[in-house]
Amino acid sequence: MAPSLGYFILWLSLIFAVLQFIISLKKDTSNISKFHKIAVIGLLLSTLFSFFSLMYSHIVSDFSVLNVFQNSHTTKPLLYRISGVWGNHEGSMLLWILVLSVVNYWIYKLYNETNSIFVSKTLQIQAFIIIGFLLFILTTSNPFERILPPPANGLGFNPILQDPALAIHPPLLYFGYVGFSAAFSLSIATMHLGKNSEIPWYKYMKTFVVAAWTFLTAGTALGSLWAYYELGWGGWWFWDPVENAALMPWLIGTALLHSLITVERKKTLQTWVLLLAILAFLLSVIGTFLVRSGILTSVHAFALDPARGVYILSFVALLGVYSLTLFAFKSKNFLHKGYFIFLSREGSIFVNNLFMVIVCASVFFGTTYPLFVEIFSQNRISVGEPYFNSTVIPIMIPAILVMGIGPVLSWGKQNNKNTAQQILISLFLTILITIIFFLCYRGFSFYGLIGIFLSLWIICNVFVTIFFAIKKDSNKNILSPIGFFKHFNSMIISHIGVGLLILGITGSSVWQEENITRMKVNDETTINNYNIVFKEIKKVIGPNYYALEGNFWVYNKKNIVITVLKPQNRIYTITKNTTSEVSIHTNLLRDLYIVLGDGDINEGWVVRIYNNPLVIWIWIGVLIIFSGGLLALKNNLKFLRQNN
Amino acid sequence: MNLYITTSFKLFIVVVFINLSGLAIINFAHAVEPEEFLNDPKQELRARNISKNVRCLVCQNESIDESSAPLAQDLRIIIRTKIKEGWTNKEIYKFLTDRYCDFVLLKPPFKTNTFILWIFPFVLLLISLFLIYLHNKNSNKRLNGSS
Amino acid sequence: MQKKLFIFPLIIFLCILLVFSYFLIIKRDPSELPSALINKKAPMFKTTSLFDDETILAEEIFGHETIIVNFFSTWCIPCRAEHSFIEKLSKDKNIKVIGVNYKDDSQKTIAWLKELGNPYTVIAVDMNGSIGLDWGVYGLPETFIVNKNSVITYKQVGPITKKIYSKFYQKVQESYK
């Protein structure tokens, strides 16, 4: 019953979406918001219902639904039956639709007495996007397809996917991608405005972009975190196409966010923003295309079906050609006549934007280049990690240098003495702390030096900004905590987060130590001042698996046990999948990471041990960036509410 | 070893990490194992670095250093044998690409059909810097012209 | 000058679109590699025969007529599925099929062939996979067409199925030229 109803209601939501589109065509805009209310709420409620009926089918293990049959099993824990709803192609597309409807509702909430035509146009574009995705689901990816007679049980599952981080990262990512759809629609509606319109389109767009970017950051990081503790190489980024598919909109989103701030302040960079808003969403949809169409191999290929690829590509083509043609003709209305000073905050933002776009273009080109080569030659090449590392990192270095002084620079013309003072103090502090770092903590390394310097550069500049602000602020005591934290705005918080993120990236990439050895029970080995003793091997029984677990006692220099690491090799009873569970001991300085390989009692086991310095700062850094984003979102929403 | 599944049934599998060798036989290979290590640490480091640049052809986006596929192990052993025999890195890469074409390399070679890939980011960088310079010149002209 | 720039995003977008469309239309399988050995001389090998310990020299086999080389093993399920098509090929008087038994147990292979029939004129044993490595084999089964000048003209990755058979046969005919 539920699935049939869910399917029927999905068609109903298509009707609401079409209704929303048609309403915007109305010439008389007097009561337009009331009509839109019906469409928007109808769409939201119907997609909610549809989504939850799929979820219900998963929860009760209704195997007459093909989607449930293919992806679930009665032994799957409840939490993962729920998250399994979006852990497959059809369900994830339904989640896209749900999030699109939610964002659609918030666009509707923008209505006030003065902007009805503008919001109506935005809703029209949004409706078009929703119709596109709905038709995609209904024609190629129906989650409610039935299989009769219903089988007794499902095809099981991939145990690697039963994980909390992996469960929540798709919804976060989709809020990101879909948030950019709002920016896209707003961009198009803006371009339809005449010159000199009073509508603060950039304020609306900024709210959506802040939300989208914040959630995209969190979603991407969670994916990396999962890869780190699940996949067993001590790495967290592999330049896999699906990772790149999330990174590219994120880079453009970062650029877009900062340019929107500039538009708000200085009214400049408007055409740039309109273009970035289009690109961010196009990249989000193209990313979806790349990982579902089967034209690229990826660790994460969802569904290798060219038919779906054709649809998404056509849809992207429509959106892109329309928006970019509009841009080609209309954007000249938004050119700013003023002077753009490069040595200023807006200048640093724009320069950094260029760097972000170049990195994004490189990632895009690297990911798709093999396709170009194949068209024009018999040979086939592959572009992997080494390429991306060689091209992205050299460009990020100047980008981060510029990012560091951004907060120090003021808007418009500088008070040169003031600015120079701050930069010099930051430089001094950065160099000082870098030297201390290398004296106390780690052996010298060229890349390590660059990484630590950049990380400290960002953080020192931020703190120098705060101190100078406090000093200017009626001579408050610099060391008073209230005075200090009062100056922590979302930019300061997020930038500190980025500094810590770079610290973590540097530590874990440059100074990772590896020890691969074969150990029998009672054997010992060392890594980075730790003595690791293989004390025992035992059989362990879990809820739906049995495992071989190794117990490794870790002794520090003083011969005290600091932890027991227990990596497992699991066999899942139903599907016969085998997985290797990593065991990690974390502290602020390093992760100790151990993987149990193959072996037996006579020959011993292959044991892989990694010492990953400073890894936790990656996750702490992202958490802080996320908090900064949430704070910014709260402030933006407050402003909108006051004005609507 | 890799198998081609005769897919007479359509299943859309959410694949995260296919250990393709695990499909047919019990897999006794794993990522690089201690027994494969060469005695000379310098040679071993060379072997690891080369392996990290060679794609595992039966996996999705892994190097042979990380992969547990038997073919990956074969290639790791071949590479170490060649290093011991005195082959240079270039010769070893050529050995592999002669048999498996350039796709086997994770780092695309710098050839006529790939040089545009390598210089692309830096060309973009130069173009941007040039545009900034032009814009700056125009801005200054306007600033100075109007004052 | 700035106004003319605004058309660039559209142009770049259209180019990228064209490339993606091309790939969708040709329906290519991203995991299938082109062979590095097409139009190159077949790599030579020296090994023993499956049934007795007689030496097999590739130089003696290639260079006189078109040969089809089929890499197979008993633990490869699709090899079993394509066996009937290999047999069909071998029944053609003008076609000679040799098998390379890749990383397998010889006794098991002999029993396997007894059960299914032996379409091969010669079976070379590749115990450690070195012949496969030289031929760029990365999965089973793989089938090569070697013409009378010892040049590899075609490589089939994956089993020969009903759909693929006629195309493959055509490629064999082409190699006679």
Side-chain angles (χ1 to χ4, degrees), chain A residues 194-215:
Chain A
K195 259 188 188 184
N196 304 319
S197 165
E198 292 283 300
I199 294 179
W201 56 269
Y202 40 87
K203 288 209 210 278
Y204 302 148
M205 198 188 275
K206 186 156 76 93
T207 311
F208 284 101
V209 170
V210 168
W213 179 87
T214 304
F215 286 109

Side-chain angles (χ1 to χ4, degrees), chain C:
Chain C
M1 191 264 263
Q2 250 173 332
K3 297 184 186 170
K4 287 196 213 130
L5 281 176
F6 291 149
I7 195 128
F8 268 104
L10 178 65
I11 295 177
I12 299 172
F13 181 75
L14 286 171
C15 294
I16 297 173
L17 213 55
L18 279 169
V19 173
F20 284 158
S21 315
Y22 172 77
F23 275 96
L24 274 189
I25 294 172
I26 63 171
K27 284 201 178 122
R28 129 200 173 292
D29 177 0
S31 60
E32 220 180 83
L33 299 181
S35 173
L37 297 171
I38 300 279
N39 294 329
K40 298 226 175 71
K41 282 256 185 236
M44 293 294 121
F45 53 84
K46 175 180 172 184
T47 181
T48 52
S49 159
L50 178 71
F51 295 104
D52 46 50
D53 281 322
E54 247 185 66
T55 310
I56 295 183
L57 282 176
E59 283 107 1
E60 290 170 4
I61 303 177
F62 300 119
H64 318 294
E65 54 183 326
T66 295
I67 310 270
I68 295 184
V69 182
N70 177 245
F71 283 78
F72 75 101
S73 65
T74 57
W75 44 261
C76 151
I77 300 173
C79 299
R80 208 183 172 106
E82 75 164 356
H83 190 89
S84 55
F85 292 102
I86 304 290
E87 271 194 317
K88 196 170 167 189
L89 278 171
S90 67
K91 290 210 168 73
D92 187 316
K93 270 181 287 177
N94 298 320
I95 298 178
K96 188 167 163 184
V97 184
I98 73 164
V100 179
N101 190 220
Y102 182 88
K103 283 193 174 181
D104 211 348
D105 178 335
S106 293
Q107 296 308 313
K108 281 208 186 108
T109 311
I110 295 174
W112 194 83
L113 288 170
K114 223 178 187 166
E115 181 201 336
L116 296 173
N118 181 7
Y120 308 112
T121 40
V122 168
I123 301 174
V125 170
D126 185 12
M127 196 56 78
N128 56 7
S130 53
I131 303 179
L133 182 70
D134 277 341
W135 284 63
V137 168
Y138 61 94
L140 293 190
E142 283 185 19
T143 313
F144 296 80
I145 303 177
V146 183
N147 73 9
K148 63 179 187 281
N149 297 319
S150 291
V151 169
I152 297 179
T153 58
Y154 188 72
K155 167 175 164 176
Q156 170 65 32
V157 168
I160 298 177
T161 62
K162 198 165 168 193
K163 265 195 258 177
I164 298 174
Y165 184 83
S166 43
K167 179 179 176 206
F168 186 81
Y169 191 77
Q170 199 189 5
K171 291 284 177 191
V172 177
Q173 301 303 313
E174 282 171 21
S175 72
Y176 290 144
K177 299 180 190 137

Side-chain angles (χ1 to χ4, degrees), chain A residues 70 87-88 155 158 161 226 231 233 240-241 298-303 305 337-340 342 351 354-355 358 361-362 365-366 369 373 379-384 386-387 390-391 395 514 516-518 598 606 608, chain B residues 10-17 27-35 37 48 53 55 60-62 66 101-103 105-108 111 113-114 116-118 120-122 124-125 128 132 135-136 139 142-143 146:
Chain A
Q70 287 171 345
N88 60 79
L155 289 176
N158 192 330
L161 303 182
W226 171 83
L231 297 180
W233 319 123
D240 183 84
S298 153
V299 163
H300 199 316
F302 249 120
D305 187 353
K337 298 292 178 219
Y339 317 120
F340 191 87
F342 273 93
V351 167
L354 286 176
F355 284 130
I358 293 175
S362 306
F365 202 41
Y369 192 76
V373 168
N379 202 357
R380 218 172 125 180
I381 63 160
S382 89
V383 177
Y387 171 78
S390 315
T391 49
I395 297 181
E514 179 187 62
I516 301 179
T517 181
R518 189 173 281 274
D598 283 327
V606 175
R608 268 162 247 282
Chain B
K10 249 208 245 176
L11 255 193
F12 296 111
I13 317 164
V14 179
V15 167
V16 181
F17 241 112
N27 173 34
F28 289 123
H30 220 284
V32 62
E33 302 201 312
E35 288 74 28
F37 290 167
R48 295 295 301 278
N53 195 25
R55 181 181 280 274
Q60 295 190 315
N61 228 28
E62 280 181 275
E66 305 157 339
C101 74
D102 285 341
F103 187 75
L105 299 176
L106 280 172
K107 182 171 178 175
K111 277 159 66 162
N113 67 346
T114 60
I116 190 180
L117 176 69
W118 281 104
F120 177 76
F122 303 104
L124 274 188
L125 191 62
S128 321
I132 292 178
H135 187 112
N136 221 8
S139 281
R142 279 188 283 166
L143 251 175
S146 63

Side-chain angles (χ1 to χ4, degrees), chain A residues 13-202:
Chain A
S13 47
L14 180 63
I15 295 175
F16 279 116
V18 173
L19 189 67
Q20 179 175 316
F21 185 87
I22 292 175
I23 290 172
S24 301
L25 295 169
K26 215 160 95 86
K27 292 291 180 194
D28 170 22
T29 58
S30 49
N31 276 321
I32 209 168
S33 75
K34 291 206 179 67
F35 285 108
H36 267 141
K37 188 169 189 176
I38 303 171
V40 167
I41 296 195
L43 182 61
L44 180 61
L45 290 176
S46 50
T47 50
L48 262 172
F49 185 92
S50 202
F51 183 77
F52 281 110
S53 56
L54 182 63
M55 187 179 282
Y56 175 79
S57 306
H58 272 259
I59 292 178
V60 303
S61 296
D62 179 357
F63 295 114
S64 74
V65 179
L66 185 62
N67 188 260
V68 181
F69 168 69
Q70 287 171 345
N71 299 293
S72 194
H73 196 273
T74 44
T75 59
K76 217 171 166 186
L78 177 65
L79 175 65
Y80 299 119
R81 261 181 276 153
I82 293 177
S83 67
V85 175
W86 55 75
N88 60 79
H89 170 71
E90 295 82 0
S92 72
M93 289 278 85
L94 195 53
L95 181 61
W96 256 89
I97 300 269
L98 176 60
V99 181
L100 275 168
S101 312
V102 171
V103 169
N104 189 53
Y105 176 74
W106 283 327
I107 296 176
Y108 162 76
K109 294 285 274 180
L110 291 174
Y111 263 124
N112 62 27
E113 302 85 47
T114 53
N115 62 14
S116 32
I117 302 177
F118 176 76
V119 176
S120 166
K121 188 73 190 166
T122 311
L123 284 173
Q124 185 179 44
I125 308 295
Q126 197 71 10
F128 180 78
I129 295 173
I130 296 176
I131 292 171
F133 274 91
L134 271 171
L135 281 176
F136 176 66
I137 288 192
L138 290 165
T139 55
T140 75
S141 317
N142 179 14
F144 296 108
E145 211 175 301
R146 306 304 283 270
I147 170 170
L148 295 162
N153 216 326
L155 289 176
F157 47 80
N158 192 330
I160 296 183
L161 303 182
Q162 285 182 37
D163 176 276
L166 205 60
I168 195 150
H169 106 269
L172 291 173
L173 282 178
Y174 294 169
F175 266 103
Y177 295 145
V178 174
F180 289 132
S181 77
F184 177 86
S185 307
L186 285 166
S187 173
I188 294 189
T190 304
M191 288 192 281
H192 276 106
L193 287 173
K195 259 188 188 184
N196 304 319
S197 165
E198 292 283 300
I199 294 179
W201 56 269
Y202 40 87

